[in-house]
Amino acid sequence: MADGLNPEGGICAAIIAAGGSGSRMGAAVPKQFLELGGLPLLLYSLRAFAAVAEIGRLVICTRADYLEHTRKLAARHGFTDILVVVGGDSRQESVAHGLAALAASGDEIALVAVHDGARPLVTPDLIHRCLAAARRHGAAIAAIEVRDTLKRAEEESGSDSPRIAATIDRAGLWQAQTPQVARFSLLQEALQRATADDFTGTDEAALLERQGQPVALVRGDAANLKVTHPDDLLLAEALLIRNTPPKDTPRIGHGYDVHRLVAERRLILGGVEIPHPLGLLGHSDADVLTHALCDALLGALGAGDIGRHFPDHDPSYRGISSLKLLATVMEQVTTAGYRLGNADLTVIAQEPKLAPHLPEMREKLAAVCRVSPEQINLKATTTEGLGFAGRREGIAAHAVVLLM
Ligand code: MG
């Protein structure tokens, strides 16, 4: 974030509401924390706002039980000077808490943008245009013109489907999005008035309109969708991939690992437990294949190796599923702006026969890497009895990956 200086004096602040429940998503976590392309939804909004030079202060309103989680998430991604406060039961209440935190921060705030943390595809350009319009008009929101024909429905008794009562003229109709930006004092007044009147609006513009405040419409983007249903997450992921151009320079990485075969250990390869009298020895679950893949990914990022990231003297990694290590490595890949193009993996083992297990291993690795199984090629070979693998003393794995 830059200093957020504004020619009229005072800084621009943003409140990101991340307090909603995941009820309609059928998920246990609030939807703002669901994963999109390997990262929590909320992080995308944070990054977009942090990339806008005019924004000098960011506030996240979240559920009380997610306060620490949110602080850690923000800090882990380099956002250290963000205010994280407890939201309320409604968006209006959350915004009121956010405004109170801003008022108490000592910052002189000219404009405040409110954004729904479940809209991950907001762009710095749209935020900037909303701020510019609010500076001119006092208040402005992102919105898109209604494209579909609108019907008013009425319930018909005895029928399981409602029927059309009327067709609404869509001329002049817009769908409100966020960000919604207003002069700080205007939004404060509008909220205080709504609270006093016991009025609940579904967005900030509704509160400002009640005050007679003109609110400008800024042409938003259909891609700035609100993730409400599981389908929205799929759509958002597809748009995210479309919006992420391949890097100019793809990066290649190679990984190689060996683990010793011993009695009384489980044999885990590619996240799959394979019935065998011997298993691989190691601090984690000793999944040699997944380790080779992690090393290839870290190699492509120029980020060292698995031992550096998950040291074998750290008790928190004892017995851990290596798929969890892979998920953490993939988060680094995503954070660096890359995605996995393809991986080619080879396991070298004299026995057991691995062919029957390869499809399941491929599925598991692909799911963690968030690619389709076709992007992961998996091979198994023996060494015709030669060397340590041939003598059944250990299993080795090679991995080659391309990041784009
Ligand atoms: Mg290893």
Side-chain angles (χ1 to χ4, degrees):
M1 266 178 290
D3 58 8
L5 281 178
N6 179 330
E8 289 146 39
I11 62 170
C12 295
I15 296 171
I16 301 178
S21 75
S23 56
R24 269 181 290 182
M25 295 294 297
V29 298
K31 58 191 174 187
Q32 292 84 357
F33 297 95
L34 290 175
E35 279 199 0
L36 173 66
L39 295 173
L41 222 61
L42 175 63
L43 204 59
Y44 293 91
S45 296
L46 264 181
R47 284 179 170 176
F49 277 87
V52 177
E54 299 114 294
I55 299 284
R57 174 62 77 183
L58 270 168
V59 185
I60 303 173
C61 301
T62 188
R63 273 173 25 184
D65 54 341
Y66 271 80
L67 209 55
E68 254 329 284
H69 179 83
T70 307
R71 285 199 179 116
K72 282 184 183 156
L73 172 72
R76 202 164 66 238
H77 289 273
F79 303 107
T80 48
D81 56 352
I82 284 179
L83 297 173
V84 182
V85 301
V86 178
D89 290 336
S90 64
R91 167 158 150 189
Q92 193 168 314
E93 250 185 82
S94 291
V95 171
H97 292 186
L99 285 181
L102 284 172
S105 70
D107 297 333
E108 194 195 328
I109 295 156
L111 287 177
V112 60
V114 176
H115 182 64
D116 190 328
R119 291 187 189 270
L121 298 181
V122 65
T123 59
D125 173 64
L126 180 59
I127 298 166
H128 170 75
R129 287 189 289 119
C130 290
L131 290 170
R135 203 168 278 139
R136 284 196 304 278
H137 303 283
I141 70 165
I144 53 171
E145 284 164 288
V146 170
R147 296 170 180 181
D148 297 321
T149 300
L150 296 178
K151 306 290 185 189
R152 187 188 305 285
E154 65 184 12
E155 298 297 329
E156 195 182 8
S157 62
S159 165
D160 55 358
S161 44
R163 67 173 189 188
I164 295 170
T167 297
I168 312 292
D169 182 7
R170 73 175 172 208
L173 288 185
W174 292 62
Q175 283 174 254
Q177 299 183 331
T178 68
Q180 303 205 346
V181 188
R183 289 201 186 107
F184 187 68
S185 55
L186 283 178
L187 188 57
Q188 262 186 325
E189 282 163 27
L191 256 166
Q192 278 160 9
R193 175 76 170 279
T195 307
D197 297 349
D198 207 16
F199 173 85
T200 304
T202 49
D203 67 355
E204 290 63 52
L207 311 185
L208 293 159
E209 293 158 41
R210 288 182 83 233
Q211 300 281 87
Q213 168 63 43
V215 181
L217 292 169
V218 174
R219 204 172 294 278
D221 182 353
N224 180 24
L225 58 89
K226 184 171 175 175
V227 174
T228 310
H229 293 277
D231 284 357
D232 302 329
L233 209 51
L234 287 176
L235 186 57
E237 194 141 327
L239 289 165
L240 188 71
I241 290 171
R242 185 207 66 176
N243 291 348
T244 313
K247 292 279 186 174
D248 291 341
T249 314
R251 298 185 68 115
I252 194 165
H254 171 255
Y256 173 67
D257 196 23
V258 175
H259 281 258
R260 188 181 290 276
L261 274 168
V262 295
E264 289 171 11
R265 285 276 299 185
R266 298 186 303 154
L267 176 60
I268 315 269
L269 289 173
V272 175
E273 180 162 356
I274 295 162
H276 193 54
L278 303 179
L280 293 173
L281 184 63
H283 183 67
S284 64
D285 65 0
D287 182 341
V288 66
L289 175 61
T290 304
H291 290 184
L293 177 55
C294 288
D295 266 344
L297 293 165
L298 290 168
L301 289 177
D305 64 11
I306 194 170
R308 190 174 110 195
H309 293 268
F310 313 105
D312 62 9
H313 51 76
D314 185 334
S316 63
Y317 301 124
R318 188 187 305 279
I320 194 173
S321 164
S322 296
L323 292 183
K324 288 191 180 155
L325 308 182
L326 178 60
T328 307
V329 170
M330 279 307 300
E331 190 175 299
Q332 287 190 48
V333 170
T334 310
T335 304
Y338 284 94
R339 54 197 159 92
L340 178 60
N342 74 306
D344 187 18
L345 315 174
T346 306
V347 189
I348 301 155
Q350 194 62 37
E351 52 184 32
K353 281 247 172 299
L354 296 176
H357 305 285
L358 294 181
E360 191 187 351
M361 288 152 66
R362 191 185 190 196
E363 292 272 342
K364 290 222 169 179
L365 295 173
V368 177
C369 294
R370 300 182 161 271
V371 295
S372 74
E374 291 71 41
Q375 286 164 276
I376 297 198
N377 189 60
L378 202 47
K379 313 187 287 295
T381 184
T382 70
T383 58
E384 310 253 331
L386 297 172
F388 68 83
R391 292 190 299 271
R392 300 161 178 83
E393 292 165 5
I395 293 180
H398 285 275
V400 177
V401 300
L402 190 72
L403 298 185
M404 309 163 52

